[in-house]
Amino acid sequence: MQYHTATSYENAVELAEAAQGTIRFLAGGTDVLVQLRAEIVTPDVLIDIKQIPGAADIQCLADGSWQIGAAVSGAQLDEHGTLKANWPGVVEAMNLIGSTQVQGRATLTGNLCNGSPAADSVPAMLAANASVTIIGPDGQRQVPVKDIPSGPGKTTLKSGEVIASVNLPAQSASGADAYLRFIPRTEMDIAVVGCAVSLELDGPKIAKARVAIGAVAPTVRLVESAAEGLIGSTLDDAALAALASAVRDACDPINDKRGTIEYRTHVAGVLAQRAAKIAYQRARSKS
Amino acid sequence: MALDEPKTTDFKYVGTRPDRPDGFDKVTGRAKFGADMSAPGMLHAAILRSPHAHARILSIDTSEAEAMKGVKAVVTRADFSKNVPFESGLSGEFWNILENVMAGEKALYDGHAVAAVAATSALDARDALKLIKVDYEVLPHVTDVDAAMASGAPVLRKGAADSSVPEGLHPNVVRYHESGHGDVEAGFTAADLVIEDSFVTEATHQGYIEPHACLATLGSDGKGELWCTTQGHWHAQKVCAALLDLETSQLRVTASEIGGGFGGKTTVFIEPVALALARKANRSVKLVMNRSEVFRATGPTSSTSMDIKIGMTKDGKITAAKGVFCLQGGAFPGAPCDESAMCAFAPYNLENVLQVGYDVMSNRPKQAAYRAPGSPMAAFAVESVIDELCKKLNLDPIDIRLKNAAHTGSKSSFGPRFDAIGLVETLEAAKAHPHYSAPLKPGQGRGISCGFWFNHGGETAVSLALSEDGTAQISVGTPDIGGSRASMALMAAEELGIPYDHIRCTIADTATLGYNEISHGSRVTYASGLATIKAARDAVEKLCKRAAAKWGIPEEAVKWQDGFAVPSGPNAGDFDPIPLKDLTADMGATGGPIVGHFEASPEGAGVSFATHLVDAEVDPETGKTEILRYTVVQDAGKAIHPTYVEGQYQGGAAQGIGWALNEEYIYGDDGRLQNAGFLDYRIPLASDLPMIDTVIIEVPNPGHPYGVRGVGETSICPPLAAIANAVSAASGVRLRQLPMSPPRIVAALKNQSNG
Amino acid sequence: MSKIHVSTTVNGDEVEFLCDPRETLLDCLRDKLNLTGAKEGCGTGDCGACSVTLDDRLVCSCLVLGAEAEGKTVSTVEGMAEGESLHPLQQKFIEYAALQCGICTPGILVATKALLDKNPDPTESEVRYWLAGNLCRCTGYDKIIRAIMDTAADLREAS
């Protein structure tokens, strides 16, 4: 295995294009190193992007939107008060991953690129309508997070492409998000089910909504039918029941060591209701 | 052995809580564990393991690996002894261990070792494994205990059953146990209520954080050195010598600091392999397992399938109890079916009891001891049924246990009459504890359970040498797995009458003392403690002799008092008492070094009982259980160092919580272990647990000079049932399968509402 | 396979080593620098026994490549005591018997020091969650948590 330290994203792309065999970009490394150690994936070339200027920066742009560098760790997100106030769901989703130690390294970008259907931060990014900036051999492009995962362990990123940043839109004055996951312990587990809800209110009524679920399908899913059911409601019991039902309908999970189809489908509905209540409460408390 | 009346009062050092002697090294990172030792010119080794649950090994081609740069030796089964005979049951244990350490004709489970490499770096050794070609013929496999006993199940190995097994059982059943007394059928007829239920528990792993590791040196002269993390280095010496055709005494084994064992380090896995590689390469070899290897190839406990039937009268008298315990022990004999059967009803004084056990082989790793092996699962089943009886008959669970409790002099469920025991005291203390009467909120429930473990004595040798400055060094042979060096020093301080910190206790290597049995069976504070006391008394006798010679009076006229030789009897007051350090200062001139020693196999280990209380809350929507409050009440006989006794109580309870709620071996249809890591083998985290309250009961064990009982194992016996009972009280559903994972609880709630 | 030359600072000392690109920082600390205080309990970031700080950020050294330590500052349990004086946490862990086998202790000490440096007044729950990635199989965590809460109180009083 060769190890390179990229000096810029363009340099990272050049290194990747020049490389033979399996290539991995190294940000936090909390997935790449585990796979390396277990000999699941031993890259021929590893390209470390953490030294790229700006890769570890969080920027709030003039329009209130956010640009989060590919090497920004979970701990950095947690320590950023304004970002956390704006997008608490995204930050808490990221912070749920692994231990304090893992938070010191793991990144939103890495979580997305790993392609796990159970990735905690991905439903939150989907609900937040996040996008990523991709730099590749053909230049730069902007892609919604929704379009990145394509199957378990798979993404739509093309050969030689690297994600430079995750971009979160400006949060509305009456908007808030929340993410919940179910795990058997209090920490350290992979999500059995994950659910993110992002809401924008008009008075007590929900004006806009996005609902995303994780670990219940081959990829993280945006559940538009669930969001539609929330719009116009005040998150009353009927809306909550419709939400759970829509989310359960959207589930297509598997039986595995972490949960059964029946259990995952059931809990997805439970979490959707609970996450929606938190997001609603947060948004209400802003007004 | 003749035993004096236990000393139970007026202790000066015993019962205090000094700092442990290994503390400084452990907080500074300088303590040397298994993987922390290196040797000049050392090689690194790695083991190739079977990906199949059951497969015939047709051929192994190691030529490419041997040709790889940096590779210095490759071994397979051909490099081990051909003189270890196959025998049935545990008579063939050396063969069983050899077959487990390195597969012979068949790979018997996912993770079974088939070859090993030593190379100049750990990466090279791992890379070389990929060059070894093994040709397997995959065979049908079985991993479930009930399936493995059923007719038509794949046979692991014919002839493994011992003589206890009745005719007509499947060849995978390798041991049968039956014990009890009275007439259970008549007892059930006399009952007002009989409950009969079946229970299942999954295999769990000891989960020590330190993987197995060793450093081996061995030459063609047959002389070797082995450094390893183990609970018993004399056992490792004996087994390694047998597996490699060495003379036992030519292999010196040193136990490293041990990073947790809980029974899982009572046998060998990698040590003979490292020695075989070292001999072949003529270089020192370090071999360290990774976590996945630990889960796939070492020590899980047995999985079980159990049927329990108990009858009770309306006023709470148990009229009869019957249990059938089927234990799956992996691909070899040895599952503790006898222990499950004998511990199951031990807390109860029963007129009619029958217990039956089956040891069943399957395509899983060879089970290893785990903290009171066999007892926790049996207690889970029995104490769940007792709880149901109490609920249905509207009786208080502590009162009912008190009413039926085994007590001093009562006939045990497994045969002998109990000597002094403290079960009743633990129940009374639990009942009086504020925990038992604390209010609960809706959705919360309280559970209680008793638990029992035999404890053990075993071969023990201790030596205690005095230094010229009046300090003492103790050499013990039982690896320190729970703070025992501190306990030994406290007991020696008590006998010698010198301060605790004037004593250093060392775990001696195999060349230094006679055979010491493994640190298991909660035997260390009991047996090594007894031996330390006796060795100190031996030294004191020698000290008194020196004083007698100085004074010119008979030896019998000198007694030892608080660190001084004192003239007694007719000579009382004739001379000034001589302190220990004055007797040791010139010992070279008065007869030579003063060393006390003691060697024996003490047999008065004294059984131990515990009662646990737990509060749990169940989220009915997700099935998740939170442990809110936990109290351990256990009889220690005498707590030598109460802090470490508490530590054993808390540790056992925490492991029990993991076992009850989340820990399990998960096998796929392909017979491969699916959760060979701490990510999906979920042991309790700091954030999962509350503080764990402890109450130490002291009913002295007549078999120990200070009344000590082992405490390490009993603490894991009650938690499974106590938590099941709390979950039942909180959620309204009875879980008869462990772990009580959230999907199982949600499914049970759903079944109940549908039914 | 060519090795990488790494210059880094460990516990205040400037050190250099050659490593294979696949070797982790934990491998390098233990096998090349003979700093065996950090332990490998899992190699997957699940147990925390290998905890160190990298540029003052708590990490699992098994999830950092040796090569990534270039130009950085690493602190391990071996650097906690000052001269012959133990760090208050080390002292309190001995006093409270907040360790049994001791294999998790170096990682827990390093992790806890990182917590108290950041938050001198944590609640019990905050301590428990901060340490969720530091597995201890012996103690049930009770005495560890008590030792930490007491050390934190002492340190607040002293400052």
Side-chain angles (χ1 to χ4, degrees), chain B residues 363-609:
Chain B
N363 293 110
R364 294 198 189 202
K366 186 178 195 296
Q367 68 78 37
Y370 180 20
R371 216 167 190 157
S375 182
M377 314 80 130
F380 162 62
V382 169
E383 296 283 307
S384 294
V385 173
I386 301 266
D387 195 64
E388 283 292 303
L389 286 162
C390 291
K391 213 176 270 177
K392 293 221 161 74
L393 293 170
N394 201 22
L395 300 165
D396 177 84
I398 292 192
D399 288 343
I400 266 19
R401 284 171 171 85
L402 276 168
K403 189 181 183 98
N404 294 284
H407 52 80
T408 303
S410 69
K411 184 175 168 62
S412 68
S413 56
F414 52 90
R417 289 197 176 275
F418 284 118
D419 212 321
I421 55 169
L423 173 62
V424 168
E425 287 81 352
T426 66
L427 283 162
E428 285 170 346
K431 193 173 178 184
H433 196 282
H435 183 167
Y436 195 56
S437 49
L440 289 166
K441 293 181 187 143
Q444 301 178 345
R446 179 163 299 142
I448 177 189
S449 173
C450 295
F452 165 82
W453 184 242
F454 302 101
N455 295 331
H456 180 60
E459 288 160 89
T460 311
V462 166
S463 153
L464 182 153
L466 297 173
S467 304
E468 286 186 351
D469 62 355
T471 60
Q473 40 197 10
I474 317 170
S475 297
V476 303
T478 38
D480 181 350
I481 53 173
S484 61
R485 277 166 291 191
S487 303
M488 298 305 133
L490 281 168
M491 286 184 266
E494 196 70 47
E495 291 295 323
L496 296 172
I498 61 174
Y500 166 82
D501 51 13
H502 286 196
I503 299 169
R504 175 157 185 169
C505 181
T506 301
I507 309 304
D509 63 45
T510 54
T512 313
L513 289 173
Y515 190 90
N516 272 274
E517 211 177 290
I518 301 161
S519 293
H520 66 166
S522 300
R523 76 181 209 89
V524 174
T525 312
Y526 166 70
S528 283
L530 180 147
T532 297
I533 292 167
K534 300 280 186 180
R537 288 179 184 174
D538 187 33
V540 161
E541 206 173 291
K542 289 166 181 165
L543 286 163
C544 290
K545 209 169 177 175
R546 302 289 168 96
K550 278 180 197 277
W551 290 327
I553 63 173
E555 289 167 43
E556 313 82 69
V558 181
K559 61 177 184 181
W560 193 256
Q561 230 172 18
D562 209 15
F564 289 80
V566 181
S568 68
N571 301 101
D574 289 357
F575 308 98
D576 286 341
I578 309 177
L580 186 144
K581 70 175 167 47
D582 289 1
L583 290 167
T584 53
D586 60 355
M587 63 185 169
T590 62
I594 299 175
V595 182
H597 63 102
F598 185 79
E599 296 83 21
S601 297
E603 283 177 357
V607 302
S608 167
F609 287 94

Side-chain angles (χ1 to χ4, degrees), chain A residues 185-186 257-258 263 266 274, chain B residues 621-622 624 680 687-688:
Chain A
R185 292 183 293 188
T186 49
K257 61 190 171 187
R258 295 177 186 137
Y263 181 76
H266 165 74
R274 292 180 183 182
Chain B
E621 284 190 314
T622 64
K624 185 164 173 166
D680 284 304
S687 48
D688 291 339

Side-chain angles (χ1 to χ4, degrees), chain B residues 48-324:
Chain B
L48 183 68
R49 297 181 181 280
S50 167
H52 305 295
H54 198 189
R56 196 171 307 286
I57 298 170
L58 301 174
S59 67
I60 304 178
D61 179 357
T62 60
S63 55
E64 267 189 61
E66 282 165 31
M68 186 181 137
K69 211 172 145 190
V71 170
K72 301 295 176 185
V74 181
V75 296
T76 62
R77 179 63 172 272
D79 295 279
F80 294 84
S81 175
K82 319 247 174 336
N83 305 314
V84 180
F86 171 76
E87 291 176 68
S88 68
L90 293 179
S91 315
E93 190 58 4
F94 279 178
W95 187 90
N96 293 336
I97 296 173
L98 172 57
E99 182 79 0
N100 188 40
V101 159
M102 192 58 71
E105 291 171 10
K106 291 202 293 184
L108 295 163
Y109 56 91
D110 167 39
H112 198 170
V114 295
V117 174
T120 48
S121 78
L123 283 173
D124 280 348
R126 286 216 301 266
D127 288 344
L129 294 183
K130 293 172 208 145
L131 302 176
I132 298 175
K133 294 188 186 73
V134 185
D135 192 8
Y136 293 103
E137 177 198 346
V138 177
L139 303 170
H141 66 271
V142 62
T143 55
D144 175 76
V145 59
D146 291 318
M149 295 173 79
S151 65
V155 177
L156 270 84
R157 185 165 55 255
K158 282 192 174 132
D162 73 16
S163 59
S164 65
V165 181
E167 290 280 322
L169 291 177
H170 191 284
N172 291 342
V173 179
V174 290
R175 184 165 172 78
Y176 175 81
H177 170 97
E178 188 179 317
S179 62
H181 54 256
D183 179 345
V184 289
E185 293 314 319
F188 289 129
T189 311
D192 294 312
L193 178 63
V194 176
I195 292 185
E196 189 170 9
D197 257 325
S198 298
F199 297 83
V200 175
T201 68
E202 243 318 330
T204 54
H205 195 276
Q206 295 81 350
Y208 33 81
I209 309 299
E210 179 201 31
H212 297 264
C214 68
L215 173 62
T217 307
L218 179 62
S220 52
D221 60 353
K223 294 182 172 57
E225 301 276 338
L226 177 66
W227 160 273
C228 59
T229 175
T230 179
Q231 290 176 245
H233 39 313
W234 273 269
H235 178 74
Q237 178 195 35
K238 183 169 72 179
V239 176
C240 289
L243 270 48
L244 295 159
D245 288 322
L246 305 173
E247 288 177 6
T248 304
S249 298
Q250 299 298 338
L251 178 63
R252 185 172 73 115
V253 185
T254 307
S256 71
E257 286 292 345
I258 173 170
F262 317 111
K265 289 177 183 165
T266 56
T267 183
V268 300
F269 298 100
I270 54 171
E271 294 82 355
V273 179
L275 283 163
L277 286 165
R279 179 164 63 186
K280 208 162 181 180
N282 203 17
R283 301 265 291 267
S284 295
V285 171
K286 184 169 179 169
L287 181 43
V288 181
M289 277 192 178
N290 62 34
R291 179 53 54 183
S292 159
E293 291 180 283
V294 172
F295 278 114
R296 287 170 72 204
T298 76
T301 185
S302 295
S303 60
T304 68
S305 171
M306 304 172 285
D307 302 311
I308 306 296
K309 185 175 179 183
I310 301 177
M312 198 178 262
T313 60
K314 271 184 277 194
D315 61 351
K317 173 90 183 138
I318 300 174
T319 57
K322 183 183 169 188
V324 178

Side-chain angles (χ1 to χ4, degrees), chain A residues 149-195:
Chain A
S150 60
K154 293 199 176 75
T155 67
T156 55
L157 289 169
K158 292 181 213 135
S159 168
E161 285 190 328
V162 57
I163 292 180
S165 67
V166 168
N167 313 306
L168 291 169
Q171 179 61 280
S172 138
S174 61
D177 67 335
Y179 173 78
L180 289 175
R181 69 168 181 190
F182 182 81
I183 53 170
R185 292 183 293 188
T186 49
E187 279 277 5
M188 300 302 290
D189 299 330
I190 303 290
V192 178
V193 181
C195 184

